[in-house]
Amino acid sequence: MSVMGVLASSDALLPARSQMALSLGWHIILASFGMALPAMIFVLHRRGLNGDDDALEIAKRWSKIGAVLFAVGAVSGTILSFELGLLWPGLMEQFGDVVGLAFALEGISFFVEAIFLGIYVYGWGRLPGHLHSLMLLPIMAAGVVGSFMVVSVNAWMNAPAGFSIVDGEVVDIDPVAAILNDHVWLQATHMYLAAVMVVGFTMATVYAARMLQGHRDRLHRLAAIVPLAFAAVATPLQPVVGHFAGQRIADDQPIKLAAIEVVTTTEERAPLRLGGIVVDGELRGAIEVPIPGLLSFLAQNDFDAEVIGLDAVPEDERPPVAVVHLAYTIMIAIGTALVGLVAWGVLRWRRNGWVGIFESTWFLRALTLAGPAAIIAMETGWVTTEVGRQPWIVQGVLRTEDAVTDAGYIWVTLTVLVVVYAAMTFGVLATIVSMSRRWQAGETDLATPYGPAADIGFADPDPEREVES
């Protein structure tokens, strides 16, 4: 049999899952920048209007980086919209009318974001300063609203609402109730905090690496401290939101919680075990916290509460426990490390001021790892959410295997998508690196007419300020 014949005869479930995981995992990084980067640019732009030339220059540079990321994100987002119908016709045929409003509102948000981003990027030197900066507000709003709509669909998959099923038919459709399902607020908040962490730490990572190379001028420090401040606010809030989200899971998706914590049998006063790996269905190498019933308390606010185990459902209704537990463990480990990094930074700030944060070579080295670590934490968080729901694509209503396409070419589309995403990744990195090198070489745009001449804040303590940016 030819290679194409083998591919065409393969089962579609594995490649469909792989293709969706690749698309979502790749796109969510760009979506994070659309959610969080405009707010950081806004802070810098407003500071620039008040007399900070460096802040205005950073805002101008980041607006161009944001435009590149938005352009590529538009492509990957469009691919995702086609994939829903291509890969999961069973989902869209039955529930397209239920989730359609969310996707429509997301599309409107996308257009608003595109329009005002274009105005903002091309408005440098053309619009009055304060009006120009206000163009960021609809960009920020559209990014938040658009992401909320997409997350609402995913939350709906975890907590389906807004419809009834009568004689196998979906009736009594209420798209607003579907959007405002029981999981949406916690999941959307969790996602937005993750986006701020990813963007904040990633942007700070870039400038920390430059500072380690000796470029410790004021512009680099300012470009690091602003996103780091955003991340410093979001990071300690994330475990708090995650705790309440976990309690929601304990109520609505107890088998997912059982997979996360590897609770094999239903038990009261369930202990909390940290780390470890699952081998042959057993958790090995974990550390049990010496507080009896701690998992019960975390799940139900009661040390004596019952925690549902994997034995409560048939084996074919259990998620792949090893994958879910490992992904969750990685997310928690990285999140804890990032909280520690923030605490370290705050301690240095209190002792030495904001400039002193970056005087420690070890802190800068840790910061260079924070961006990639935050991305990994976000990706493993999504693995926990999505794989933990299996075998359901809509919790308790529709199984993933019943929603997948029966087309025989999905291996082909997956292969093509890998090539396309690899090319887009290379293109994005090459473009941003090229822009960065030109900035480092001293190339700048024409001076903004409203750019102030005086420096009124974040004074550089060095008498000889490095000119290279």
Side-chain angles (χ1 to χ4, degrees), residues 222-293:
L222 181 61
I225 195 63
V226 170
L228 183 58
F230 274 81
V233 173
T235 300
L237 292 176
Q238 188 68 298
V240 177
V241 175
H243 167 67
F244 290 109
Q247 290 190 325
R248 176 65 68 179
I249 290 174
D251 292 335
D252 298 340
Q253 297 176 291
I255 301 305
K256 177 186 287 189
L257 179 65
I260 289 172
E261 301 291 351
V262 197
V263 181
T264 55
T265 58
T266 301
E267 58 182 317
E268 297 178 351
R269 294 183 66 81
L272 178 65
R273 303 178 181 90
L274 303 177
I277 60 174
V278 178
V279 180
D280 296 329
E282 296 182 1
L283 181 60
R284 300 181 182 179
I287 300 174
E288 183 171 321
V289 179
I291 301 177

Side-chain angles (χ1 to χ4, degrees), residues 343-360:
W344 185 9
V346 170
L347 182 62
R348 291 196 57 80
W349 168 67
R350 289 178 61 86
R351 288 180 176 178
N352 307 300
W354 79 277
V355 175
I357 294 176
F358 305 116
E359 291 177 350
S360 168

Side-chain angles (χ1 to χ4, degrees), residues 27-266:
H27 179 74
I28 196 64
I29 299 173
L30 298 180
S32 295
F33 279 85
M35 295 166 66
L37 187 59
M40 300 177 191
I41 297 175
F42 181 78
V43 169
L44 288 163
H45 197 148
R46 298 301 296 184
R47 181 166 187 82
L49 295 178
N50 289 326
D52 192 330
D53 291 324
D54 286 337
L56 203 61
E57 178 63 25
I58 297 167
K60 185 184 297 184
R61 295 180 181 186
W62 287 8
S63 69
K64 295 185 177 181
I65 292 174
V68 172
L69 297 177
F70 179 85
V72 181
V75 176
S76 60
T78 302
I79 291 174
L80 276 171
S81 65
F82 282 105
E83 284 178 331
L84 283 172
L86 173 68
L87 302 178
W88 313 107
L91 171 67
M92 300 311 294
E93 287 174 4
Q94 292 189 59
F95 298 104
D97 290 341
V98 180
V99 298
L101 178 62
F103 286 121
L105 294 175
E106 189 275 335
I108 294 173
S109 299
F110 171 81
F111 286 121
V112 170
E113 187 175 4
I115 291 168
F116 283 94
L117 179 61
I119 295 173
Y120 182 74
V121 171
Y122 289 102
W124 289 101
R126 296 175 176 87
L127 292 175
H130 290 284
L131 177 61
H132 185 204
S133 68
L134 294 179
M135 295 301 101
L136 286 163
L137 296 181
I139 299 174
M140 294 160 56
V144 172
V145 172
S147 61
F148 179 87
M149 292 302 158
V150 174
V151 171
S152 76
V153 176
N154 184 266
W156 171 84
M157 293 178 178
N158 292 312
F163 67 94
S164 300
I165 296 181
V166 179
D167 298 329
E169 297 292 329
V170 177
V171 298
D172 300 330
I173 295 174
D174 185 349
V176 175
I179 293 173
L180 302 178
N181 60 78
D182 289 342
H183 281 213
V184 68
W185 297 109
L186 283 171
Q187 193 165 324
T189 303
H190 202 49
M191 178 60 219
Y192 190 73
L193 291 174
V196 173
M197 291 172 63
V198 165
V199 179
F201 283 122
T202 299
M203 299 303 287
T205 285
V206 172
Y207 290 94
R210 289 285 293 160
M211 282 187 272
L212 284 173
Q213 296 172 351
H215 302 277
R216 302 198 183 190
D217 56 282
R218 181 178 179 278
L219 186 144
H220 281 77
R221 290 197 297 267
L222 181 61
I225 195 63
V226 170
L228 183 58
F230 274 81
V233 173
T235 300
L237 292 176
Q238 188 68 298
V240 177
V241 175
H243 167 67
F244 290 109
Q247 290 190 325
R248 176 65 68 179
I249 290 174
D251 292 335
D252 298 340
Q253 297 176 291
I255 301 305
K256 177 186 287 189
L257 179 65
I260 289 172
E261 301 291 351
V262 197
V263 181
T264 55
T265 58
T266 301

Side-chain angles (χ1 to χ4, degrees), residues 26 419-433:
W26 199 90
V419 175
V420 169
Y421 278 170
M424 288 198 296
T425 301
F426 175 80
V428 168
L429 294 178
T431 301
I432 294 177
V433 168

